[in-house]
Amino acid sequence: MESQVKKLVIIGSGPAGLTAAIYAARGGLNPLVISGRAQGGQLMLTTDVDDFPGFEEGIQGPDLMIKMRKQAERFGVRFIDEDVASVNFKQKPLEIKTESQELKAESVIIATGAQASWLGIESETRLRGRGVSACAVCDGFFFKGKNVIVVGGGDTAMREAQHLSKIASKLYVVHRRDQFRAQKALVDLVLSKPNVEVIFNKTIEEILGDNMVNGVKLKDKVSGQISQMPIDAVFIAIGHKPSTEFLKGQVELDEKGYVKVTDEVFSSVPGVFVAGDVSDFKYRQAVTAAGAGTKATFEVEHYLEHLKSPTEN
């Protein structure tokens, strides 16, 4: 049981949390990371990572996260591989309860990330990383000159479609309704692309392929008719859900559940800082999350330096 008041507890073990841990350890803060049962964040579900600097041949997502954790451990970072059950940020020191422990800390970095929303069909899970993706910026390059689908009708879908329209030979935007929910400016931009075709009132019933995506089955929402079309990749863009259930009533969240921040990394509670996709619904990249982890750690150092009675850890 951890009994001392920690200088810093980091909640989350994706790129944001692990980068924060590396910087904090090197800065003498002796950070403790609550990694969660599902360690490593979204990159644990990603195969080829070609856009994280330093890997000229690319790297598998899980391998990258393993390397980052080992790097943190080299600097003495401690880990608790459990989920957070609850927090109490209404008093000082801050309190964090895991599945088996109660912790107290002078500062906390929230880096719990966000999970992509999926269609919930078996073939989507089976072919994830094999032509099924929830990140066009991450994986679009692998389908240059191919025919791809974006599923969704909101701002996320339009941004994904806009990016893919510059890469794919043909792009289909499949939406279950008869009109988009996205901002008109985003919709107009996507529809202005000559290689984009919209398919309204249809849903994906099944994604086809053995080792790689090679087609989809579409269901017409009006007639109920099932049709099949060949395709090389399917990008799911129906939104993300931030991992903030345990934070309700403790820090200020926006209407979608993301942590509200000021000056990039400050939450509504002094001493509680934020990094990565748990507040960033715009970029959602490993490298931007890592950068946010760095910024959060610098602000933690500044905060702790100005506490009246810093606690030794």
mmCIF file with all atom_site columns, all heavy atoms in Angstrom, residues 5 53 60 86-87 90 94 112 122 125 144 147 159 168 171 189 228-229 233 238 249 256 279 302 306:
data_model
loop_
_atom_site.group_PDB
_atom_site.id
_atom_site.type_symbol
_atom_site.label_atom_id
_atom_site.label_alt_id
_atom_site.label_comp_id
_atom_site.label_asym_id
_atom_site.label_entity_id
_atom_site.label_seq_id
_atom_site.pdbx_PDB_ins_code
_atom_site.Cartn_x
_atom_site.Cartn_y
_atom_site.Cartn_z
_atom_site.occupancy
_atom_site.B_iso_or_equiv
_atom_site.pdbx_formal_charge
_atom_site.auth_seq_id
_atom_site.auth_comp_id
_atom_site.auth_asym_id
_atom_site.auth_atom_id
_atom_site.pdbx_PDB_model_num
ATOM 1   N N   . VAL A 1 5   ? 2.693   10.779  0.607   1.00 0.00 ? 5   VAL A N   1
ATOM 2   C CA  . VAL A 1 5   ? 2.147   11.725  -0.368  1.00 0.00 ? 5   VAL A CA  1
ATOM 3   C C   . VAL A 1 5   ? 3.151   11.851  -1.510  1.00 0.00 ? 5   VAL A C   1
ATOM 4   O O   . VAL A 1 5   ? 4.312   12.207  -1.299  1.00 0.00 ? 5   VAL A O   1
ATOM 5   C CB  . VAL A 1 5   ? 1.891   13.097  0.279   1.00 0.00 ? 5   VAL A CB  1
ATOM 6   C CG1 . VAL A 1 5   ? 1.397   14.091  -0.773  1.00 0.00 ? 5   VAL A CG1 1
ATOM 7   C CG2 . VAL A 1 5   ? 0.874   12.971  1.408   1.00 0.00 ? 5   VAL A CG2 1
ATOM 8   N N   . PRO A 1 53  ? 8.363   10.176  -35.085 1.00 0.00 ? 53  PRO A N   1
ATOM 9   C CA  . PRO A 1 53  ? 9.768   10.438  -35.449 1.00 0.00 ? 53  PRO A CA  1
ATOM 10  C C   . PRO A 1 53  ? 10.738  9.460   -34.796 1.00 0.00 ? 53  PRO A C   1
ATOM 11  O O   . PRO A 1 53  ? 10.539  9.021   -33.667 1.00 0.00 ? 53  PRO A O   1
ATOM 12  C CB  . PRO A 1 53  ? 9.994   11.863  -34.928 1.00 0.00 ? 53  PRO A CB  1
ATOM 13  C CG  . PRO A 1 53  ? 8.632   12.476  -34.867 1.00 0.00 ? 53  PRO A CG  1
ATOM 14  C CD  . PRO A 1 53  ? 7.711   11.360  -34.500 1.00 0.00 ? 53  PRO A CD  1
ATOM 15  N N   . GLN A 1 60  ? 5.682   -1.061  -35.034 1.00 0.00 ? 60  GLN A N   1
ATOM 16  C CA  . GLN A 1 60  ? 4.354   -1.505  -34.638 1.00 0.00 ? 60  GLN A CA  1
ATOM 17  C C   . GLN A 1 60  ? 3.918   -0.717  -33.393 1.00 0.00 ? 60  GLN A C   1
ATOM 18  O O   . GLN A 1 60  ? 4.734   -0.446  -32.500 1.00 0.00 ? 60  GLN A O   1
ATOM 19  C CB  . GLN A 1 60  ? 4.361   -3.004  -34.325 1.00 0.00 ? 60  GLN A CB  1
ATOM 20  C CG  . GLN A 1 60  ? 4.705   -3.892  -35.514 1.00 0.00 ? 60  GLN A CG  1
ATOM 21  C CD  . GLN A 1 60  ? 3.592   -3.932  -36.536 1.00 0.00 ? 60  GLN A CD  1
ATOM 22  O OE1 . GLN A 1 60  ? 2.512   -4.429  -36.285 1.00 0.00 ? 60  GLN A OE1 1
ATOM 23  N NE2 . GLN A 1 60  ? 3.859   -3.381  -37.713 1.00 0.00 ? 60  GLN A NE2 1
ATOM 24  N N   . SER A 1 86  ? -11.717 5.853   -8.481  1.00 0.00 ? 86  SER A N   1
ATOM 25  C CA  . SER A 1 86  ? -12.292 7.168   -8.192  1.00 0.00 ? 86  SER A CA  1
ATOM 26  C C   . SER A 1 86  ? -11.189 8.129   -7.794  1.00 0.00 ? 86  SER A C   1
ATOM 27  O O   . SER A 1 86  ? -10.062 7.714   -7.481  1.00 0.00 ? 86  SER A O   1
ATOM 28  C CB  . SER A 1 86  ? -13.330 7.083   -7.062  1.00 0.00 ? 86  SER A CB  1
ATOM 29  O OG  . SER A 1 86  ? -12.700 6.674   -5.845  1.00 0.00 ? 86  SER A OG  1
ATOM 30  N N   . VAL A 1 87  ? -11.517 9.421   -7.822  1.00 0.00 ? 87  VAL A N   1
ATOM 31  C CA  . VAL A 1 87  ? -10.582 10.449  -7.368  1.00 0.00 ? 87  VAL A CA  1
ATOM 32  C C   . VAL A 1 87  ? -11.335 11.447  -6.496  1.00 0.00 ? 87  VAL A C   1
ATOM 33  O O   . VAL A 1 87  ? -12.555 11.583  -6.596  1.00 0.00 ? 87  VAL A O   1
ATOM 34  C CB  . VAL A 1 87  ? -9.917  11.193  -8.550  1.00 0.00 ? 87  VAL A CB  1
ATOM 35  C CG1 . VAL A 1 87  ? -9.081  10.247  -9.391  1.00 0.00 ? 87  VAL A CG1 1
ATOM 36  C CG2 . VAL A 1 87  ? -10.960 11.904  -9.404  1.00 0.00 ? 87  VAL A CG2 1
ATOM 37  N N   . LYS A 1 90  ? -11.164 17.535  -4.501  1.00 0.00 ? 90  LYS A N   1
ATOM 38  C CA  . LYS A 1 90  ? -11.759 18.666  -3.786  1.00 0.00 ? 90  LYS A CA  1
ATOM 39  C C   . LYS A 1 90  ? -10.994 18.995  -2.519  1.00 0.00 ? 90  LYS A C   1
ATOM 40  O O   . LYS A 1 90  ? -11.410 19.871  -1.743  1.00 0.00 ? 90  LYS A O   1
ATOM 41  C CB  . LYS A 1 90  ? -13.230 18.371  -3.472  1.00 0.00 ? 90  LYS A CB  1
ATOM 42  C CG  . LYS A 1 90  ? -14.078 18.165  -4.721  1.00 0.00 ? 90  LYS A CG  1
ATOM 43  C CD  . LYS A 1 90  ? -15.537 17.951  -4.385  1.00 0.00 ? 90  LYS A CD  1
ATOM 44  C CE  . LYS A 1 90  ? -16.362 17.687  -5.643  1.00 0.00 ? 90  LYS A CE  1
ATOM 45  N NZ  . LYS A 1 90  ? -16.313 18.792  -6.596  1.00 0.00 ? 90  LYS A NZ  1
ATOM 46  N N   . LEU A 1 94  ? -4.337  15.672  -3.126  1.00 0.00 ? 94  LEU A N   1
ATOM 47  C CA  . LEU A 1 94  ? -5.288  15.038  -4.021  1.00 0.00 ? 94  LEU A CA  1
ATOM 48  C C   . LEU A 1 94  ? -5.328  13.537  -3.745  1.00 0.00 ? 94  LEU A C   1
ATOM 49  O O   . LEU A 1 94  ? -4.309  12.930  -3.420  1.00 0.00 ? 94  LEU A O   1
ATOM 50  C CB  . LEU A 1 94  ? -4.876  15.291  -5.471  1.00 0.00 ? 94  LEU A CB  1
ATOM 51  C CG  . LEU A 1 94  ? -4.677  16.772  -5.848  1.00 0.00 ? 94  LEU A CG  1
ATOM 52  C CD1 . LEU A 1 94  ? -3.863  16.890  -7.129  1.00 0.00 ? 94  LEU A CD1 1
ATOM 53  C CD2 . LEU A 1 94  ? -6.020  17.476  -5.984  1.00 0.00 ? 94  LEU A CD2 1
ATOM 54  N N   . THR A 1 112 ? -5.550  9.919   -19.709 1.00 0.00 ? 112 THR A N   1
ATOM 55  C CA  . THR A 1 112 ? -6.288  8.667   -19.908 1.00 0.00 ? 112 THR A CA  1
ATOM 56  C C   . THR A 1 112 ? -6.798  8.478   -21.334 1.00 0.00 ? 112 THR A C   1
ATOM 57  O O   . THR A 1 112 ? -7.352  7.432   -21.665 1.00 0.00 ? 112 THR A O   1
ATOM 58  C CB  . THR A 1 112 ? -7.471  8.584   -18.933 1.00 0.00 ? 112 THR A CB  1
ATOM 59  O OG1 . THR A 1 112 ? -8.173  9.831   -18.922 1.00 0.00 ? 112 THR A OG1 1
ATOM 60  C CG2 . THR A 1 112 ? -6.988  8.275   -17.533 1.00 0.00 ? 112 THR A CG2 1
ATOM 61  N N   . GLU A 1 122 ? -18.463 -7.867  -35.962 1.00 0.00 ? 122 GLU A N   1
ATOM 62  C CA  . GLU A 1 122 ? -17.343 -8.798  -35.788 1.00 0.00 ? 122 GLU A CA  1
ATOM 63  C C   . GLU A 1 122 ? -16.232 -8.572  -36.799 1.00 0.00 ? 122 GLU A C   1
ATOM 64  O O   . GLU A 1 122 ? -15.045 -8.584  -36.465 1.00 0.00 ? 122 GLU A O   1
ATOM 65  C CB  . GLU A 1 122 ? -17.869 -10.235 -35.882 1.00 0.00 ? 122 GLU A CB  1
ATOM 66  C CG  . GLU A 1 122 ? -16.789 -11.311 -35.697 1.00 0.00 ? 122 GLU A CG  1
ATOM 67  C CD  . GLU A 1 122 ? -16.010 -11.615 -36.980 1.00 0.00 ? 122 GLU A CD  1
ATOM 68  O OE1 . GLU A 1 122 ? -16.569 -11.421 -38.091 1.00 0.00 ? 122 GLU A OE1 1
ATOM 69  O OE2 . GLU A 1 122 ? -14.831 -12.021 -36.878 1.00 0.00 ? 122 GLU A OE2 1
ATOM 70  N N   . THR A 1 125 ? -13.713 -5.783  -36.040 1.00 0.00 ? 125 THR A N   1
ATOM 71  C CA  . THR A 1 125 ? -12.689 -6.141  -35.062 1.00 0.00 ? 125 THR A CA  1
ATOM 72  C C   . THR A 1 125 ? -11.646 -7.058  -35.687 1.00 0.00 ? 125 THR A C   1
ATOM 73  O O   . THR A 1 125 ? -10.433 -6.876  -35.492 1.00 0.00 ? 125 THR A O   1
ATOM 74  C CB  . THR A 1 125 ? -13.333 -6.832  -33.853 1.00 0.00 ? 125 THR A CB  1
ATOM 75  O OG1 . THR A 1 125 ? -14.319 -5.959  -33.283 1.00 0.00 ? 125 THR A OG1 1
ATOM 76  C CG2 . THR A 1 125 ? -12.288 -7.179  -32.799 1.00 0.00 ? 125 THR A CG2 1
ATOM 77  N N   . LYS A 1 144 ? -2.716  4.823   -50.538 1.00 0.00 ? 144 LYS A N   1
ATOM 78  C CA  . LYS A 1 144 ? -2.550  5.799   -51.601 1.00 0.00 ? 144 LYS A CA  1
ATOM 79  C C   . LYS A 1 144 ? -2.948  5.193   -52.941 1.00 0.00 ? 144 LYS A C   1
ATOM 80  O O   . LYS A 1 144 ? -2.529  4.101   -53.306 1.00 0.00 ? 144 LYS A O   1
ATOM 81  C CB  . LYS A 1 144 ? -1.091  6.266   -51.650 1.00 0.00 ? 144 LYS A CB  1
ATOM 82  C CG  . LYS A 1 144 ? -0.831  7.383   -52.637 1.00 0.00 ? 144 LYS A CG  1
ATOM 83  C CD  . LYS A 1 144 ? 0.610   7.859   -52.541 1.00 0.00 ? 144 LYS A CD  1
ATOM 84  C CE  . LYS A 1 144 ? 0.873   9.022   -53.480 1.00 0.00 ? 144 LYS A CE  1
ATOM 85  N NZ  . LYS A 1 144 ? 2.278   9.500   -53.379 1.00 0.00 ? 144 LYS A NZ  1
ATOM 86  N N   . ASN A 1 147 ? -9.191  2.666   -53.378 1.00 0.00 ? 147 ASN A N   1
ATOM 87  C CA  . ASN A 1 147 ? -10.588 3.057   -53.166 1.00 0.00 ? 147 ASN A CA  1
ATOM 88  C C   . ASN A 1 147 ? -10.947 2.805   -51.706 1.00 0.00 ? 147 ASN A C   1
ATOM 89  O O   . ASN A 1 147 ? -10.799 1.674   -51.212 1.00 0.00 ? 147 ASN A O   1
ATOM 90  C CB  . ASN A 1 147 ? -11.516 2.259   -54.077 1.00 0.00 ? 147 ASN A CB  1
ATOM 91  C CG  . ASN A 1 147 ? -11.228 2.508   -55.544 1.00 0.00 ? 147 ASN A CG  1
ATOM 92  O OD1 . ASN A 1 147 ? -10.758 3.569   -55.928 1.00 0.00 ? 147 ASN A OD1 1
ATOM 93  N ND2 . ASN A 1 147 ? -11.506 1.519   -56.380 1.00 0.00 ? 147 ASN A ND2 1
ATOM 94  N N   . ARG A 1 159 ? -13.492 15.689  -41.662 1.00 0.00 ? 159 ARG A N   1
ATOM 95  C CA  . ARG A 1 159 ? -12.043 15.941  -41.582 1.00 0.00 ? 159 ARG A CA  1
ATOM 96  C C   . ARG A 1 159 ? -11.262 14.734  -42.082 1.00 0.00 ? 159 ARG A C   1
ATOM 97  O O   . ARG A 1 159 ? -10.244 14.877  -42.767 1.00 0.00 ? 159 ARG A O   1
ATOM 98  C CB  . ARG A 1 159 ? -11.658 16.296  -40.147 1.00 0.00 ? 159 ARG A CB  1
ATOM 99  C CG  . ARG A 1 159 ? -12.160 17.671  -39.698 1.00 0.00 ? 159 ARG A CG  1
ATOM 100 C CD  . ARG A 1 159 ? -11.521 18.115  -38.394 1.00 0.00 ? 159 ARG A CD  1
ATOM 101 N NE  . ARG A 1 159 ? -11.921 19.467  -38.040 1.00 0.00 ? 159 ARG A NE  1
ATOM 102 C CZ  . ARG A 1 159 ? -12.884 19.761  -37.177 1.00 0.00 ? 159 ARG A CZ  1
ATOM 103 N NH1 . ARG A 1 159 ? -13.534 18.777  -36.555 1.00 0.00 ? 159 ARG A NH1 1
ATOM 104 N NH2 . ARG A 1 159 ? -13.190 21.012  -36.894 1.00 0.00 ? 159 ARG A NH2 1
ATOM 105 N N   . ALA A 1 168 ? -6.477  9.012   -51.666 1.00 0.00 ? 168 ALA A N   1
ATOM 106 C CA  . ALA A 1 168 ? -7.181  7.910   -52.320 1.00 0.00 ? 168 ALA A CA  1
ATOM 107 C C   . ALA A 1 168 ? -7.520  8.231   -53.772 1.00 0.00 ? 168 ALA A C   1
ATOM 108 O O   . ALA A 1 168 ? -7.664  9.397   -54.155 1.00 0.00 ? 168 ALA A O   1
ATOM 109 C CB  . ALA A 1 168 ? -8.465  7.594   -51.555 1.00 0.00 ? 168 ALA A CB  1
ATOM 110 N N   . LEU A 1 171 ? -13.003 8.024   -53.088 1.00 0.00 ? 171 LEU A N   1
ATOM 111 C CA  . LEU A 1 171 ? -13.429 8.061   -51.694 1.00 0.00 ? 171 LEU A CA  1
ATOM 112 C C   . LEU A 1 171 ? -14.949 8.080   -51.621 1.00 0.00 ? 171 LEU A C   1
ATOM 113 O O   . LEU A 1 171 ? -15.598 8.943   -52.217 1.00 0.00 ? 171 LEU A O   1
ATOM 114 C CB  . LEU A 1 171 ? -12.863 9.299   -50.990 1.00 0.00 ? 171 LEU A CB  1
ATOM 115 C CG  . LEU A 1 171 ? -13.396 9.595   -49.587 1.00 0.00 ? 171 LEU A CG  1
ATOM 116 C CD1 . LEU A 1 171 ? -13.018 8.482   -48.626 1.00 0.00 ? 171 LEU A CD1 1
ATOM 117 C CD2 . LEU A 1 171 ? -12.874 10.936  -49.088 1.00 0.00 ? 171 LEU A CD2 1
ATOM 118 N N   . LEU A 1 189 ? -16.349 21.616  -48.431 1.00 0.00 ? 189 LEU A N   1
ATOM 119 C CA  . LEU A 1 189 ? -14.970 21.343  -48.813 1.00 0.00 ? 189 LEU A CA  1
ATOM 120 C C   . LEU A 1 189 ? -14.827 19.914  -49.331 1.00 0.00 ? 189 LEU A C   1
ATOM 121 O O   . LEU A 1 189 ? -14.196 19.668  -50.368 1.00 0.00 ? 189 LEU A O   1
ATOM 122 C CB  . LEU A 1 189 ? -14.038 21.570  -47.617 1.00 0.00 ? 189 LEU A CB  1
ATOM 123 C CG  . LEU A 1 189 ? -12.556 21.280  -47.847 1.00 0.00 ? 189 LEU A CG  1
ATOM 124 C CD1 . LEU A 1 189 ? -11.981 22.181  -48.929 1.00 0.00 ? 189 LEU A CD1 1
ATOM 125 C CD2 . LEU A 1 189 ? -11.772 21.442  -46.543 1.00 0.00 ? 189 LEU A CD2 1
ATOM 126 N N   . GLN A 1 228 ? -23.384 -5.181  -52.279 1.00 0.00 ? 228 GLN A N   1
ATOM 127 C CA  . GLN A 1 228 ? -21.973 -5.433  -52.004 1.00 0.00 ? 228 GLN A CA  1
ATOM 128 C C   . GLN A 1 228 ? -21.120 -4.593  -52.941 1.00 0.00 ? 228 GLN A C   1
ATOM 129 O O   . GLN A 1 228 ? -21.469 -4.399  -54.105 1.00 0.00 ? 228 GLN A O   1
ATOM 130 C CB  . GLN A 1 228 ? -21.675 -6.915  -52.209 1.00 0.00 ? 228 GLN A CB  1
ATOM 131 C CG  . GLN A 1 228 ? -20.289 -7.349  -51.762 1.00 0.00 ? 228 GLN A CG  1
ATOM 132 C CD  . GLN A 1 228 ? -20.145 -8.863  -51.744 1.00 0.00 ? 228 GLN A CD  1
ATOM 133 O OE1 . GLN A 1 228 ? -21.031 -9.561  -51.258 1.00 0.00 ? 228 GLN A OE1 1
ATOM 134 N NE2 . GLN A 1 228 ? -19.027 -9.359  -52.264 1.00 0.00 ? 228 GLN A NE2 1
ATOM 135 N N   . MET A 1 229 ? -20.024 -4.047  -52.416 1.00 0.00 ? 229 MET A N   1
ATOM 136 C CA  . MET A 1 229 ? -19.119 -3.272  -53.258 1.00 0.00 ? 229 MET A CA  1
ATOM 137 C C   . MET A 1 229 ? -17.673 -3.551  -52.877 1.00 0.00 ? 229 MET A C   1
ATOM 138 O O   . MET A 1 229 ? -17.359 -3.749  -51.694 1.00 0.00 ? 229 MET A O   1
ATOM 139 C CB  . MET A 1 229 ? -19.411 -1.764  -53.157 1.00 0.00 ? 229 MET A CB  1
ATOM 140 C CG  . MET A 1 229 ? -19.142 -1.139  -51.811 1.00 0.00 ? 229 MET A CG  1
ATOM 141 S SD  . MET A 1 229 ? -19.547 0.638   -51.760 1.00 0.00 ? 229 MET A SD  1
ATOM 142 C CE  . MET A 1 229 ? -18.299 1.319   -52.855 1.00 0.00 ? 229 MET A CE  1
ATOM 143 N N   . ALA A 1 233 ? -10.212 -0.166  -48.139 1.00 0.00 ? 233 ALA A N   1
ATOM 144 C CA  . ALA A 1 233 ? -10.067 0.210   -46.727 1.00 0.00 ? 233 ALA A CA  1
ATOM 145 C C   . ALA A 1 233 ? -11.340 0.887   -46.242 1.00 0.00 ? 233 ALA A C   1
ATOM 146 O O   . ALA A 1 233 ? -12.061 1.523   -47.019 1.00 0.00 ? 233 ALA A O   1
ATOM 147 C CB  . ALA A 1 233 ? -8.874  1.134   -46.524 1.00 0.00 ? 233 ALA A CB  1
ATOM 148 N N   . ILE A 1 238 ? -16.966 7.894   -36.547 1.00 0.00 ? 238 ILE A N   1
ATOM 149 C CA  . ILE A 1 238 ? -18.245 8.201   -35.890 1.00 0.00 ? 238 ILE A CA  1
ATOM 150 C C   . ILE A 1 238 ? -18.034 8.768   -34.485 1.00 0.00 ? 238 ILE A C   1
ATOM 151 O O   . ILE A 1 238 ? -18.939 8.768   -33.657 1.00 0.00 ? 238 ILE A O   1
ATOM 152 C CB  . ILE A 1 238 ? -19.148 6.957   -35.849 1.00 0.00 ? 238 ILE A CB  1
ATOM 153 C CG1 . ILE A 1 238 ? -18.446 5.777   -35.178 1.00 0.00 ? 238 ILE A CG1 1
ATOM 154 C CG2 . ILE A 1 238 ? -19.569 6.561   -37.264 1.00 0.00 ? 238 ILE A CG2 1
ATOM 155 C CD1 . ILE A 1 238 ? -19.330 4.539   -35.013 1.00 0.00 ? 238 ILE A CD1 1
ATOM 156 N N   . GLY A 1 249 ? -17.647 15.418  -11.854 1.00 0.00 ? 249 GLY A N   1
ATOM 157 C CA  . GLY A 1 249 ? -17.819 16.106  -10.584 1.00 0.00 ? 249 GLY A CA  1
ATOM 158 C C   . GLY A 1 249 ? -16.517 16.494  -9.913  1.00 0.00 ? 249 GLY A C   1
ATOM 159 O O   . GLY A 1 249 ? -16.532 17.126  -8.848  1.00 0.00 ? 249 GLY A O   1
ATOM 160 N N   . LYS A 1 256 ? -19.096 16.831  -24.350 1.00 0.00 ? 256 LYS A N   1
ATOM 161 C CA  . LYS A 1 256 ? -18.771 15.504  -24.890 1.00 0.00 ? 256 LYS A CA  1
ATOM 162 C C   . LYS A 1 256 ? -17.948 14.668  -23.915 1.00 0.00 ? 256 LYS A C   1
ATOM 163 O O   . LYS A 1 256 ? -17.585 13.538  -24.223 1.00 0.00 ? 256 LYS A O   1
ATOM 164 C CB  . LYS A 1 256 ? -18.022 15.641  -26.214 1.00 0.00 ? 256 LYS A CB  1
ATOM 165 C CG  . LYS A 1 256 ? -18.886 16.228  -27.332 1.00 0.00 ? 256 LYS A CG  1
ATOM 166 C CD  . LYS A 1 256 ? -18.117 16.271  -28.647 1.00 0.00 ? 256 LYS A CD  1
ATOM 167 C CE  . LYS A 1 256 ? -18.989 16.810  -29.772 1.00 0.00 ? 256 LYS A CE  1
ATOM 168 N NZ  . LYS A 1 256 ? -18.257 16.866  -31.066 1.00 0.00 ? 256 LYS A NZ  1
ATOM 169 N N   . SER A 1 279 ? -8.215  15.505  -23.614 1.00 0.00 ? 279 SER A N   1
ATOM 170 C CA  . SER A 1 279 ? -8.705  16.870  -23.823 1.00 0.00 ? 279 SER A CA  1
ATOM 171 C C   . SER A 1 279 ? -8.590  17.304  -25.278 1.00 0.00 ? 279 SER A C   1
ATOM 172 O O   . SER A 1 279 ? -9.237  18.265  -25.696 1.00 0.00 ? 279 SER A O   1
ATOM 173 C CB  . SER A 1 279 ? -7.923  17.865  -22.945 1.00 0.00 ? 279 SER A CB  1
ATOM 174 O OG  . SER A 1 279 ? -6.559  17.907  -23.316 1.00 0.00 ? 279 SER A OG  1
ATOM 175 N N   . HIS A 1 302 ? 6.700   23.700  -12.196 1.00 0.00 ? 302 HIS A N   1
ATOM 176 C CA  . HIS A 1 302 ? 6.483   25.090  -11.797 1.00 0.00 ? 302 HIS A CA  1
ATOM 177 C C   . HIS A 1 302 ? 5.512   25.159  -10.622 1.00 0.00 ? 302 HIS A C   1
ATOM 178 O O   . HIS A 1 302 ? 5.727   25.913  -9.656  1.00 0.00 ? 302 HIS A O   1
ATOM 179 C CB  . HIS A 1 302 ? 5.936   25.888  -12.979 1.00 0.00 ? 302 HIS A CB  1
ATOM 180 C CG  . HIS A 1 302 ? 5.704   27.330  -12.692 1.00 0.00 ? 302 HIS A CG  1
ATOM 181 N ND1 . HIS A 1 302 ? 6.721   28.256  -12.633 1.00 0.00 ? 302 HIS A ND1 1
ATOM 182 C CD2 . HIS A 1 302 ? 4.550   28.007  -12.427 1.00 0.00 ? 302 HIS A CD2 1
ATOM 183 C CE1 . HIS A 1 302 ? 6.214   29.438  -12.342 1.00 0.00 ? 302 HIS A CE1 1
ATOM 184 N NE2 . HIS A 1 302 ? 4.902   29.319  -12.225 1.00 0.00 ? 302 HIS A NE2 1
ATOM 185 N N   . HIS A 1 306 ? 6.239   26.280  -6.354  1.00 0.00 ? 306 HIS A N   1
ATOM 186 C CA  . HIS A 1 306 ? 5.582   27.413  -5.713  1.00 0.00 ? 306 HIS A CA  1
ATOM 187 C C   . HIS A 1 306 ? 4.610   27.013  -4.606  1.00 0.00 ? 306 HIS A C   1
ATOM 188 O O   . HIS A 1 306 ? 3.915   27.858  -4.053  1.00 0.00 ? 306 HIS A O   1
ATOM 189 C CB  . HIS A 1 306 ? 4.853   28.253  -6.771  1.00 0.00 ? 306 HIS A CB  1
ATOM 190 C CG  . HIS A 1 306 ? 5.791   29.018  -7.657  1.00 0.00 ? 306 HIS A CG  1
ATOM 191 N ND1 . HIS A 1 306 ? 6.471   28.426  -8.698  1.00 0.00 ? 306 HIS A ND1 1
ATOM 192 C CD2 . HIS A 1 306 ? 6.198   30.324  -7.632  1.00 0.00 ? 306 HIS A CD2 1
ATOM 193 C CE1 . HIS A 1 306 ? 7.239   29.336  -9.290  1.00 0.00 ? 306 HIS A CE1 1
ATOM 194 N NE2 . HIS A 1 306 ? 7.094   30.474  -8.667  1.00 0.00 ? 306 HIS A NE2 1
#
